[in-house]
């Protein structure tokens, strides 16, 4: 019996063989004494492990254990975005910062839902001309919200932007 | 968070036991099991009920344990040819155990003996045994999670079982 045959016998024990392979190995097990003994041993060990899976009790008191979990969860949530975990609230912060009190600019906001059906999508010009090179663009993309916003503005106008507020947790 | 606490209460022992069976260190197992619960909290919305909650949770803790073992370099993603105990076909030379050493053994005793025997296995062999026998994962799934070939998984499982058989056979000799 070579290693390949031994592994096939194991695969038979584990139900990992099918069809003609299973039938072939089953025949080997039925006809060959060594193969049969190996099959029995592997089955015996498998059964013992299933019956004898160690059952370990946690060494810490339940309340203490959960309090540690809760503490970790709260710590994780505190390290997320200061305006909240949701992408849309972060988006709102971005929008407020960049669309604030900018005046005298041509603003085109094209929101393209990445997965929205065509008839729901707002009209987006197929082509934008920028003959004088004065258009600038900023893109915001949120995979989580399946959203892309392209903010176009006339970079020739001098406007003081309202500063973006600092994150609250700094 | 009360419902989540209820879930933790119901499954904490099993999740801890799974972590301990893989890393064999109480402190690490506690840490990893807590990490698993934190991840579960963060991903609870992804739980679609395709499997039981216990199965979903144990998958999380197993993945964390595998990452942990890899980082500690305690687990080598090597092929069968490189593993010392398998290169010489040692497992093929072990005498086959034909008498059931667990016959008549009480379950508590059996669990204790199994636990002691598993302590003697290498990390790789113990891991594949835990994932296959206790978690009922298929060869293909174990290979994917451990980052090695199906052939390597089969060989490790074979060696681990044969080693367990020899250890279990020793129980009868000790008892007599």
């Amino acid at each position: 019996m070579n290693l390949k045959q031994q592994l096939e016998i194991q695969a038979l024990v584990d139900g990992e063989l099918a069809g003609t392979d299973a039938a072939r190995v089953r025949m080997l097990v039925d006809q060959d004494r060594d193969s049969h003994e190996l099959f029995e041993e592997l089955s015996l060990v498998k059964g013992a492990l299933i019956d004898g899976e160690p059952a370990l009790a946690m060494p810490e008191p339940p309340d203490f254990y959960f309090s540690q979990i809760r503490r970790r969860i709260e710590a994780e949530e505190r390290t997320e975005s200061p305006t909240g975990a949701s992408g849309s609230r972060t988006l709102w912060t971005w929008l407020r910062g960049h669309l604030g009190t900018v005046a005298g600019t041509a603003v085109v906001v094209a929101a393209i839902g990445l997965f929205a059906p065509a008839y729901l999508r707002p009209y987006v010009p197929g082509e934008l001309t920028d003959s004088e090179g004065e258009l600038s663009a900023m893109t915001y993309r949120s995979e989580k919200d399946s959203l892309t916003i392209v903010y176009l503005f006339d970079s020739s106008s001098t406007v003081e932007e309202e500063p973006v507020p600092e994150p609250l947790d700094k | 968070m009360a419902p989540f606490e209820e879930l933790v209460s119901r499954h904490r022992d099993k999740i801890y036991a799974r972590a301990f069976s893989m890393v064999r260190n109480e402190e690490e197992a506690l840490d990893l099991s807590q990490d698993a619960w934190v991840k579960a909290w963060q991903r609870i919305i992804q739980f679609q009920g395709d499997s039981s909650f216990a199965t979903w949770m144990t998958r999380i803790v197993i993945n964390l344990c595998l990452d942990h073992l890899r980082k500690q370099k305690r687990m080598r993603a090597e092929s069968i040819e490189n593993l010392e105990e398998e290169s010489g076909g040692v497992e093929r030379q072990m005498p086959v155990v034909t008498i059931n050493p667990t016959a008549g053994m009480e379950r508590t005793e059996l669990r204790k003996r199994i636990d002691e025997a598993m302590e003697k296995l290498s990390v790789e062999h113990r891991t594949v045994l835990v994932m296959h026998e206790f978690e009922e994962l298929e060869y293909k799934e174990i290979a994917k999670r451990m980052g090695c070939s199906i052939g390597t998984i089969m060989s490790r499982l074979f060696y681990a079982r044969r080693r367990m058989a020899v250890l279990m056979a020793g129980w009868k000799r000790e008892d007599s």
Side-chain angles (χ1 to χ4, degrees):
Chain A
M1 195 172 25
N2 57 36
L3 178 61
K4 180 173 179 286
Q5 288 172 315
Q6 291 176 323
L7 294 182
E8 283 181 330
I9 291 170
Q10 175 178 254
L12 183 69
V13 169
D14 293 332
E16 293 265 358
L17 288 183
T20 52
D21 286 335
R24 173 176 51 80
V25 178
R26 169 53 71 183
M27 192 179 301
L28 175 68
V29 168
D30 289 342
Q31 295 175 351
D32 179 73
R33 184 185 160 186
D34 289 342
S35 299
H36 183 82
E37 285 182 353
L38 179 60
F39 179 89
E40 290 296 314
E41 181 200 88
L42 293 173
S43 301
L44 189 158
V45 171
K46 186 179 178 74
L49 284 167
I50 291 169
D51 286 341
E53 179 180 351
L56 301 167
M58 241 183 20
E60 279 184 354
D63 290 345
F64 179 69
Y65 182 74
F66 185 75
S67 71
Q68 290 187 306
I69 292 169
R70 183 171 51 211
R71 207 169 295 128
R72 285 194 191 193
I73 288 172
E74 288 167 357
E76 290 279 333
E77 288 178 346
R78 274 196 297 275
T79 60
E80 285 173 358
S81 166
T83 57
S86 68
S88 54
R89 293 175 71 183
T90 306
L91 167 62
W92 176 241
T93 305
W94 184 88
L95 282 172
R96 272 193 307 153
H98 288 83
L99 296 180
T101 56
V102 175
T105 61
V107 176
V108 177
V109 176
I112 305 170
L114 289 177
F115 301 107
Y119 65 86
L120 286 181
R121 293 180 188 166
Y123 170 72
V124 177
E127 181 181 346
L128 293 171
T129 55
D130 180 19
S131 56
E132 298 188 20
E134 291 174 352
L135 265 185
S136 292
M138 278 191 286
T139 305
Y140 174 87
R141 179 172 287 123
S142 167
E143 294 292 337
K144 187 176 176 182
D145 294 315
S146 302
L147 183 69
T148 299
I149 294 182
V150 178
Y151 165 49
L152 304 172
F153 62 95
D154 181 357
S155 56
S156 62
S157 61
T158 55
V159 179
E160 287 184 13
E161 288 186 29
E162 184 177 328
V164 178
E166 290 290 315
L168 293 174
D169 63 351
K170 282 193 178 175
Chain B
M1 203 178 267
F4 187 70
E5 186 172 2
E6 175 63 25
L7 281 173
V8 173
S9 170
R10 285 187 199 180
H11 301 285
R12 60 173 174 250
D13 285 345
K14 177 165 183 182
I15 301 306
Y16 168 77
R18 185 58 67 248
F20 184 83
S21 67
M22 290 182 72
V23 301
R24 305 302 298 189
N25 178 288
E26 194 177 276
E27 200 176 314
E28 289 176 7
L30 277 169
D31 212 43
L32 288 163
S33 65
Q34 287 172 359
D35 284 344
W37 285 112
V38 173
K39 271 206 187 309
W41 171 262
Q42 293 166 342
R43 297 177 184 176
I44 196 74
I45 199 167
Q46 297 172 14
F47 177 60
Q48 296 178 346
D50 296 339
S51 59
S52 71
F53 180 79
T55 300
W56 185 69
M57 267 307 301
T58 49
R59 298 286 186 267
I60 292 176
V61 77
I62 282 172
N63 285 338
L64 286 170
C65 289
L66 288 173
D67 288 342
H68 177 75
L69 291 168
R70 281 192 200 102
K71 279 179 195 165
Q72 289 197 327
K73 295 185 171 30
R74 280 157 65 180
M75 192 165 70
R76 301 157 295 169
E78 293 172 357
S79 66
I80 171 183
E81 288 77 23
N82 295 332
L83 287 174
E84 183 184 315
E85 56 273 331
E86 291 164 355
S87 60
V90 169
E91 74 287 358
R92 298 175 56 197
Q93 297 162 17
M94 296 178 200
V96 174
V97 173
T98 53
I99 299 171
N100 184 355
T102 69
M105 193 180 284
E106 285 190 10
R107 198 165 185 195
T108 311
E109 179 67 17
L110 175 62
R111 283 176 163 168
K112 180 170 169 285
R113 301 262 194 164
I114 295 280
D115 189 52
E116 289 168 356
M118 288 185 68
E119 177 70 31
K120 293 180 166 67
L121 298 177
S122 72
V123 170
E124 291 88 353
H125 295 117
R126 185 167 54 243
T127 300
V128 74
L129 210 60
V130 168
M131 293 175 80
H132 189 271
E133 307 296 25
F134 300 157
E135 287 302 310
E136 298 177 11
L137 292 172
E138 294 179 349
Y139 296 166
K140 183 173 63 176
E141 185 63 30
I142 299 171
K144 183 179 163 190
R145 286 166 188 258
M146 292 184 74
C148 50
S149 68
I150 292 178
T152 298
I153 294 302
M154 291 174 73
S155 297
R156 287 181 183 174
L157 186 60
F158 184 70
Y159 175 83
R161 279 169 162 162
R162 297 233 59 215
R163 184 92 174 96
M164 289 295 287
V166 169
L167 290 168
M168 286 160 61
W171 300 343
K172 278 295 184 190
R173 287 195 293 274
E174 287 169 12
D175 293 344
S176 61

